């Protein structure tokens, strides 16, 4: 079947199998930042945005994004680099495998929540598992990232 | 890994229903999260997303939630956060993560009638109905016990009866399946106690509910808690033993009653 969709604002017109998953479609089209962790909808590594909302690309049919806008880490590179500096400063990354999905969720949270509390940050990101860091460094990095520019920092 | 030979977005419910019943391997697609975990070979996947069934509509007597409404919409809905002390929203908050709840649908969650379902437990404590395309409007309590028929769940309907309510679950880790889920409601002087993840499907503890007067004493609560554990069946799985679940049930029911009476 044929689908037409925008990936990072670029139009794609592709022939796919009806049961192709979005993660495979994106990787096949060259967006290899999108990775598989668990494949059972638990880890959040495969997170991308469909029409600005985070979804698990391992659990969404490519057919269902026909006519929609998809954003991957490649599409928010500048913001990701800016956030990455805070992550590095806080020593909040070890193997880095969780980062693509984690960053997509953090940037989505920044758009969706206004001035979130620590509890709200933890709740919003509870679907992004990290096997290495223990989350505390990530939390510090997020707080500083969200705070930047607000108090002249 | 599941497979699908054809994917279709029908333009009416009638068309969707006809397609569903054309072949025994045709299937309705909700958010796909559960379907995709299986290894069935389906013929046709029927996606209802073009039918405008993703809304939460409040009218004077009831709240209607379309089957394609996501769990995240439920979580963030101002109506569902307000009515019934917000238990419908509260019940979905710990289901995996935001990006999961942006995908999982009400239709997939309620139609499946999973034993572990948080949402089903919360809805069962309320005056809730499912609207099926062929089967019409069915009380949720009856629907839970019915066999899985090839029909389409269009929406759920919750009557606004002014119930006070409480929802509690216990999990090993924040986003795991619940070990036990308990929902309670009080409408005037009539109580409903629903217990899910026992690990069987959510059920009402009718006898225990009747033991609670409008403003129960400590003794009333204690005897209701005991009755819950004797009238419902509790089982063992890798998340907890039947004995442990019974102890949890007593604690969660007590906390729920106290919360409503506060
Ligand atoms: C990893 C994981 C963890 C989970 N944790 C929890 C948890 O802690 N608590 C909890 O309550 N739930 C949990 N769930 C269940 C989840 O919340 C959803 O209920 C489940 O994914 C089904 O929703 P879906 O929209 O993805 O449905 P699908 O997977 O698309 O469909 C499920 C079934 O429902 C049928 N169906 C879908 N929509 C309709 C309709 N409108 N009419 C008729 N039939 C329909 C499908 O044909 C299929 O048989 C979990 C699921 C997963 C995969
Ligand atoms: S790979 Fe999609 S949630 Fe883990
Ligand atoms: S840094 Fe290794 S999984 Fe997160």
């Amino acid at each position: 079947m044929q689908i037409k969709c925008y990936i990072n604002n670029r139009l794609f017109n592709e022939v796919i199998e009806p049961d192709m998953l979005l993660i495979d479609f994106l990787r096949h089209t060259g967006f290899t930042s999108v990775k598989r962790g668990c494949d059972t909808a638990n880890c959040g590594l495969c997170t991308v945005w469909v029409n600005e909302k985070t979804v698990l690309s391992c659990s969404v049919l490519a057919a269902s994004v026909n006519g929609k806008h998809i954003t991957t880490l490649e599409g928010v590179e500048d913001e990701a680099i800016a956030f990455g500096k805070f992550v590095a400063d806080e020593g909040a990354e070890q193997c880095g495998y969780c980062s693509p999905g984690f960053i997509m969720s953090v940037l989505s949270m920044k758009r969706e929540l206004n001035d979130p509390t620590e509890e709200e940050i933890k709740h919003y990101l509870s679907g992004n598992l990290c096997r290495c860091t223990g989350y505390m460094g990530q939390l510090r990095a997020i707080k500083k990232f969200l705070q930047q520019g607000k108090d002249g920092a | 890994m599941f497979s699908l030979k054809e994917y279709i977005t029908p333009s009416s419910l009638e068309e969707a229903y006809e397609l569903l019943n054309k072949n025994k391997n045709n299937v309705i697609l909700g958010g796909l999260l559960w379907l995709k975990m299986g290894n069935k070979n389906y013929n046709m996947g029927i996606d209802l997303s073009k039918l405008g069934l993703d809304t939460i509509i409040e009218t004077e007597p009831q709240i209607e939630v379309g089957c394609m409404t996501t769990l995240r919409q439920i979580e963030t809905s101002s109506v569902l956060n307000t009515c019934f002390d917000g238990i419908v929203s509260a019940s979905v908050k710990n289901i995996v993560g935001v990006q999961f709840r942006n995908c999982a649908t009400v239709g997939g969650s309620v139609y499946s009638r999973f034993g572990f379902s948080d949402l089903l437990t919360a809805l069962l404590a309320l005056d809730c109905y499912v609207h099926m395309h062929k089967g019409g409007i069915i009380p949720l309590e009856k629907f839970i016990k019915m066999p899985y028929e090839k029909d389409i769940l269009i929406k759920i309907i919750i009557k606004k009866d002014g119930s006070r309510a409480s929802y509690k679950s216990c999990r090993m880790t924040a986003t795991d399946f619940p070990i036990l889920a308990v929902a309670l409601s009080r409408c005037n002087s009539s109580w409903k106690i629903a217990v899910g993840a026992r690990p069987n499907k959510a059920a009402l503890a009718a006898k225990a509910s009747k033991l609670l007067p409008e403003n129960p004493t400590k003794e009333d609560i204690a005897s209701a808690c005991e009755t819950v554990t004797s009238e419902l069946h509790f089982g063992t799985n890798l998340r907890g033993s039947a004995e442990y679940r019974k102890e949890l049930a007593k604690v969660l029911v007590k906390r729920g009653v106290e919360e409503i009476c506060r």
Side-chain angles (χ1 to χ4, degrees):
Chain A
M1 64 180 286
Q2 183 95 22
I3 62 162
K4 207 166 128 180
C5 64
Y6 294 87
I7 309 175
N8 302 329
N9 291 325
R10 225 177 94 203
L11 183 63
F12 284 80
N13 226 321
E14 301 282 322
V15 175
I16 58 158
E17 291 299 325
D19 53 5
M20 185 178 212
L21 294 168
L22 181 57
I23 188 169
D24 299 316
F25 174 66
L26 291 170
R27 289 184 62 81
H28 183 75
T29 0
F31 298 95
T32 48
S33 72
V34 189
K35 293 190 170 52
R36 235 187 202 97
C38 63
D39 208 20
T40 56
N42 276 291
C43 74
L45 174 56
C46 63
T47 303
V48 300
W49 303 347
V50 173
N51 287 354
E52 302 284 313
K53 284 201 162 72
T54 54
V55 302
L56 297 171
S57 63
C58 73
S59 303
V60 169
L61 285 178
S64 73
V65 302
N66 191 18
K68 295 184 178 167
H69 285 259
I70 298 124
T71 311
T72 68
L73 195 61
E74 289 88 345
V76 286
E77 199 178 334
D78 291 347
E79 267 185 273
I81 290 171
F83 175 53
K85 290 200 174 88
F86 288 87
V87 173
D89 284 350
E90 297 301 325
E93 188 178 70
Q94 287 179 30
C95 77
Y97 198 67
C98 61
S99 293
F102 168 62
I103 295 172
M104 290 311 285
S105 285
V106 170
L107 299 183
S108 168
M109 178 180 71
K110 191 170 179 239
R111 284 160 172 73
E112 203 175 326
L113 303 186
N114 186 21
D115 225 354
T117 60
E118 183 169 319
E119 272 318 299
E120 286 166 341
I121 295 172
K122 285 183 182 169
H123 184 68
Y124 197 95
L125 297 171
S126 62
N128 288 91
L129 304 186
C130 172
R131 282 297 166 116
C132 304
T133 66
Y135 303 106
M136 285 301 123
Q138 292 184 344
L139 193 59
R140 287 196 303 273
I142 292 164
K143 283 182 178 169
K144 290 187 178 168
F145 173 63
L146 296 179
Q147 198 53 34
Q148 68 173 328
K150 285 194 177 158
D151 50 14
Chain B
M1 177 67 196
F2 94 117
S3 72
L4 210 60
K5 285 200 194 111
E6 210 181 330
Y7 166 89
I8 200 149
T9 48
S11 47
S12 72
L13 269 169
E14 199 49 57
E15 184 191 351
Y17 182 77
E18 266 173 36
L19 290 170
L20 178 64
N21 285 287
K22 220 171 175 173
N23 180 317
K24 71 172 174 32
N25 290 324
N26 289 359
V27 68
I28 299 288
L29 307 174
L32 201 76
L33 291 146
W34 198 262
L35 272 177
K36 176 244 158 184
M37 304 261 281
N39 51 13
K40 280 201 182 151
N41 299 317
Y42 294 106
N43 179 56
M44 179 191 283
I46 303 161
D47 181 345
L48 308 176
S49 60
K50 295 275 187 297
L51 303 181
L53 298 170
D54 58 349
T55 53
I56 300 172
I57 298 169
E58 182 185 20
T59 57
E60 216 244 301
Q62 61 200 33
I63 299 167
E64 300 183 0
V65 185
C67 64
M68 293 302 282
T69 306
T70 65
L71 299 189
R72 179 71 176 159
Q73 281 175 272
I74 290 202
E75 178 188 359
T76 55
S77 151
S78 55
V79 174
L80 292 174
N81 269 286
T82 315
C83 284
F84 319 112
D85 296 292
I87 68 159
V88 183
S89 302
S91 73
V92 300
K93 280 196 169 116
N94 287 312
I95 303 181
V96 195
V98 170
Q99 57 277 67
F100 180 101
R101 298 193 293 277
N102 274 333
C103 300
T105 64
V106 167
S109 303
V110 176
Y111 177 82
S112 302
R113 289 158 271 182
F114 297 122
F116 54 74
S117 180
D118 289 286
L119 181 61
L120 208 60
T121 309
L123 293 175
L124 188 59
L126 303 175
D127 190 11
C128 181
Y129 301 79
V130 293
H131 186 170
M132 303 300 292
H133 180 69
K134 182 80 192 309
I137 296 176
I138 307 167
L140 181 66
E141 191 187 351
K142 182 174 169 203
F143 181 70
I144 288 180
K145 295 173 190 152
M146 281 168 60
Y148 294 87
E149 281 163 12
K150 276 213 148 194
D151 199 351
I152 300 174
L153 193 158
I154 305 173
K155 61 185 169 192
I156 58 164
I157 300 164
I158 317 168
K159 298 284 178 192
K160 278 165 55 187
D161 58 6
S163 287
R164 295 288 322 271
S166 166
Y167 181 78
K168 308 262 171 235
S169 72
C170 179
R171 302 170 127 82
M172 286 207 257
T173 58
T175 60
D176 195 12
F177 290 104
I179 308 172
L180 197 78
V182 169
L184 290 100
S185 72
R186 185 185 66 189
C187 179
N188 301 319
S189 57
S190 159
W191 289 82
K192 274 189 189 173
I193 304 172
V195 188
R198 294 171 289 113
N200 314 48
K201 285 176 195 173
L204 286 173
K207 286 184 201 153
S209 305
K210 284 207 181 78
L211 292 175
L212 292 171
E214 186 169 356
N215 290 305
T217 60
K218 273 187 183 162
E219 292 71 33
D220 294 329
I221 299 174
S223 73
C225 289
E226 281 303 327
T227 308
V228 166
T229 60
S230 59
E231 74 169 300
L232 294 178
H233 176 262
F234 290 78
T236 298
N237 67 2
L238 58 84
R239 286 191 170 71
S241 64
E243 291 70 28
Y244 181 54
R245 285 192 158 95
K246 283 184 186 180
E247 292 308 312
L248 275 181
K250 289 182 208 165
V251 174
L252 298 187
V253 169
K254 179 171 179 276
R255 285 184 191 165
V257 174
E258 286 172 352
E259 194 174 284
I260 289 174
C261 292
R262 217 172 282 148

